Amino acid sequence: MTRITIGHLYPEHLNIYADRGNIAALERRCAWRGIGFEAIAIGPGDVLPDADLYYLGGGQDRDQLLIADDIARHAEPLRAAVDDGAGVLAVCGGYQLLGHYYRGHQGDEMRGIGLVDLVTEAGSRRMIGNIMLDCRLDGAAPQRLVGFENHAGRTFLGEGVQPLGQVVHGHGNNGEDGAEGVQQGSVIGTYVHGPLLPKNPWLSDWLIGRALERQGQDQQLTPLDDGLELEAQRVAAAIAAR
Ligand code: GLN
């Protein structure tokens, strides 16, 4: 049976606004299609296991500080895994740690793993609210992405680094340049919680598709009835537009 493996980094530390729900969404969409699914928790001190997709949720500065030194151990193994076709999904606090550094609200500077060329510095005003993006991954047809953001960090992408999407409603990476998140091949970072995936099933399927591709399985995913998910997305988009 086909099976995908998710390496869930720091589930005890990086899990706010129900970010763990992203794992549940992936697991369900795999189960509905008869695709096996395994999530491996990776805590401080653990060795990075082989996985098709690595996941990091969000966290307050305090929680990020607790794992910032530990995550540095994974910088090289994660880069190697990505070069080998693995994906990464990182939300908010996790997203910030994909970059070169995050300077927190109290001035704490946390070194990131430098997987993506971006930096983040906390501003005095938090960026809070419902958010909607227009995403065009890999030049595909535009997709709507909805959710909730709450961050002090302002992220700036390096020259030529592509955002995940353009902000339609909300703040995004820094509240200035209209960009939100990052996409670099199979690596996705975003400020969007909600959790992210249940209301944005197209992104779940993009991640599952990449994970299957890594295993050399270029199969078309069986379409699912996304009626409820799309209704939730429609309502979230209407709230974000208020
Ligand atoms: N601590 C980070 C910030 O405020 C991330 C918060 C979060 O993950 N929601 O920018």
Side-chain angles (χ1 to χ4, degrees):
M1 177 187 181
T2 308
R3 189 175 73 159
I4 67 172
T5 305
I6 311 291
H8 187 177
L9 283 143
Y10 311 109
E12 302 297 325
H13 296 84
L14 300 180
N15 176 39
I16 49 173
Y17 309 124
D19 282 342
R20 200 186 296 265
N22 291 324
I23 300 278
L26 291 170
E27 193 272 325
R28 264 297 90 202
R29 295 185 76 77
C30 284
W32 281 329
R33 294 174 165 122
I35 301 170
F37 184 91
E38 184 185 13
I40 304 173
I42 308 162
D46 289 349
V47 170
L48 197 76
D50 181 59
D52 301 304
L53 173 70
Y54 295 90
Y55 173 66
L56 298 106
Q60 306 292 4
D61 292 16
R62 186 168 35 91
D63 302 313
Q64 290 172 282
L65 262 175
L66 291 174
I67 54 92
D69 284 342
D70 195 79
I71 200 174
R73 293 183 304 118
H74 299 310
E76 280 319 307
L78 260 182
R79 184 180 300 277
V82 167
D83 287 347
D84 183 46
V88 175
L89 174 65
V91 177
C92 201
Y95 166 40
Q96 295 169 343
L97 293 174
L98 294 188
H100 300 300
Y101 68 84
Y102 169 49
R103 187 169 308 132
H105 199 51
Q106 311 292 340
D108 306 297
E109 181 150 329
M110 297 170 231
R111 195 156 50 99
I113 60 172
L115 184 64
V116 183
D117 182 16
L118 59 87
V119 299
T120 306
E121 298 185 4
S124 49
R125 189 176 58 89
R126 292 192 76 80
M127 290 181 269
I128 306 175
N130 298 295
I131 180 165
M132 180 170 133
L133 312 181
D134 180 24
C135 299
R136 288 155 208 260
L137 292 194
D138 310 323
Q143 294 278 8
R144 184 158 76 175
L145 191 141
V146 296
F148 170 77
E149 61 181 327
N150 182 355
H151 52 109
R154 290 153 190 273
T155 296
F156 293 91
L157 306 179
E159 184 85 30
V161 178
Q162 294 302 311
L164 169 62
Q166 295 298 321
V167 175
V168 180
H169 303 292
H171 305 279
N173 280 341
N174 49 55
E176 289 170 26
D177 61 16
E180 203 294 315
V182 73
Q183 186 214 350
Q184 182 172 287
S186 296
V187 177
I188 293 201
T190 179
Y191 275 110
V192 181
H193 301 276
L196 167 73
L197 294 179
K199 289 192 286 289
N200 299 295
W202 66 268
L203 185 56
S204 299
D205 286 355
W206 187 88
L207 293 163
I208 293 169
R210 289 279 177 131
L212 293 173
E213 249 173 59
R214 176 173 181 262
Q215 302 181 10
Q217 306 215 18
D218 217 357
Q219 65 190 54
Q220 282 285 43
L221 287 179
T222 316
L224 299 174
D225 174 2
D226 285 335
L228 268 179
E229 288 83 351
L230 295 179
E231 177 61 9
Q233 186 183 85
R234 189 190 63 73
V235 171
I239 294 171
R242 274 184 203 155

